[in-house]
Amino acid sequence: MHVLGAVSQELYFPDMHLTDIIEILILTYLIYHIAMWLINTKAWMLMRGIVVLGIFVLLAAVFKMHTILFLARNSVTVLATAAVVVFQPELRRALEKLGEKQFLSSIVPFETNKESSRFSEDTMDSIVDAAYNMGRVKTGALIVVEQAIHLTEYESTGIKMDCLVSMQVLMNIFEHNTPLHDGAIIIRGDRIVSATCYLPLSDNMGLSKELGTRHRAAVGMSEVSDALIIVVSEENGKVSVAQGGVLDRAVTREELREKLTYIQNRKPENKNFLQHIWKGRNKDEKRTDE
């Protein structure tokens, strides 16, 4: 008992207050979402480069390479400015996604209202049937299925609509020589909200050179949002799906239905912060077809 008492006296137990607990939760929230942002964007590759550069500087410090250390000390300001410039697209996208999040509903551990953008089984059947019917006759199509991030910015580039999704409507929109066939349509829930929309093109140099503008627009849109984008090739009639910056080419009807079912049943990412801390986040592996 005397030994235990001596040990307990040497241990340091800091005084914890309510503000300290709130501060820890806020920092945990920020660090978690910054880490997820780095992993899910091209910033992760840039961060790896910075880590490698830091290792070189550390080795220079260990072996006392004074010239390298001098250059490193005097280039910190320049590197910080360069990092802001290089990360500018990713920072902009991160702030856009942060603006879409409901901060309070992310922290409070209670269920909030269900996502209003969930689509029905009839909508899913219509999308699948229309995609493969158009592929059979080689009619090009670009369909954006919105999820948590609202695509208002891109919706405004097209012609606003408000109609229920159906196979006949989708096929009629993308029919050749019709006023709405050029560009993409955006689906929110069970309704088509806009047509002939302009999407950002991906600058990913790893994409196959045989891919056209329609496929690059699909990948570009998936890089700046959490939407699922369906592409029907006008050249070969194959159906491809882009999500999270990854393009799955020539998917089957069953694979497309599985992807739509997954996003239909998936819980919103920002619904419950404490559930993320407890359960963690599982990230499905995706294949890239280059």
Side-chain angles (χ1 to χ4, degrees), residues 85-187:
V85 174
V86 172
F87 279 92
Q88 187 271 336
E90 283 74 21
L91 289 172
R92 179 177 180 273
R93 293 166 190 168
L95 291 174
E96 288 176 349
K97 292 183 179 181
L98 181 63
E100 293 289 344
K101 292 180 180 295
Q102 297 177 2
F103 183 76
L104 292 177
S105 63
S106 300
I107 296 178
V108 180
F110 299 106
E111 294 292 325
T112 56
N113 294 332
K114 298 294 182 181
E115 286 291 304
S116 60
S117 61
R118 294 305 174 87
F119 49 86
S120 64
E121 291 291 332
D122 291 339
T123 296
M124 181 167 59
D125 292 338
S126 298
I127 294 173
V128 173
D129 291 340
Y132 286 93
N133 286 343
M134 289 186 289
R136 192 176 303 114
V137 295
K138 296 184 179 180
T139 299
L142 191 54
I143 302 172
V144 180
V145 182
E146 185 184 81
Q147 295 191 69
I149 298 177
H150 285 195
L151 307 176
T152 308
E153 175 184 353
Y154 305 99
E155 176 187 343
S156 61
T157 64
I159 298 174
K160 292 189 179 298
M161 301 181 62
D162 184 20
C163 65
L164 286 172
V165 176
S166 68
M167 181 188 68
Q168 293 80 3
V169 170
L170 291 174
M171 294 181 65
N172 187 68
I173 288 176
F174 291 107
E175 182 64 32
H176 292 290
N177 301 322
T178 56
L180 302 178
H181 83 281
D182 193 19
I185 68 167
I186 296 177
I187 294 177

Side-chain angles (χ1 to χ4, degrees), residues 36-93:
M36 290 300 102
W37 167 69
L38 287 173
I39 292 173
N40 293 328
T41 63
K42 292 181 292 184
W44 176 243
M45 299 300 296
L46 298 175
M47 183 59 66
R48 288 173 59 182
I50 293 175
V51 170
V52 172
L53 185 61
I55 292 175
F56 278 118
V57 174
L58 179 61
L59 291 175
V62 171
F63 293 103
K64 298 181 179 179
M65 300 177 180
H66 300 291
T67 304
I68 295 178
L69 292 176
F70 173 80
L71 293 174
R73 283 194 299 268
N74 289 275
S75 59
V76 169
T77 304
V78 177
L79 291 176
T81 305
V84 173
V85 174
V86 172
F87 279 92
Q88 187 271 336
E90 283 74 21
L91 289 172
R92 179 177 180 273
R93 293 166 190 168

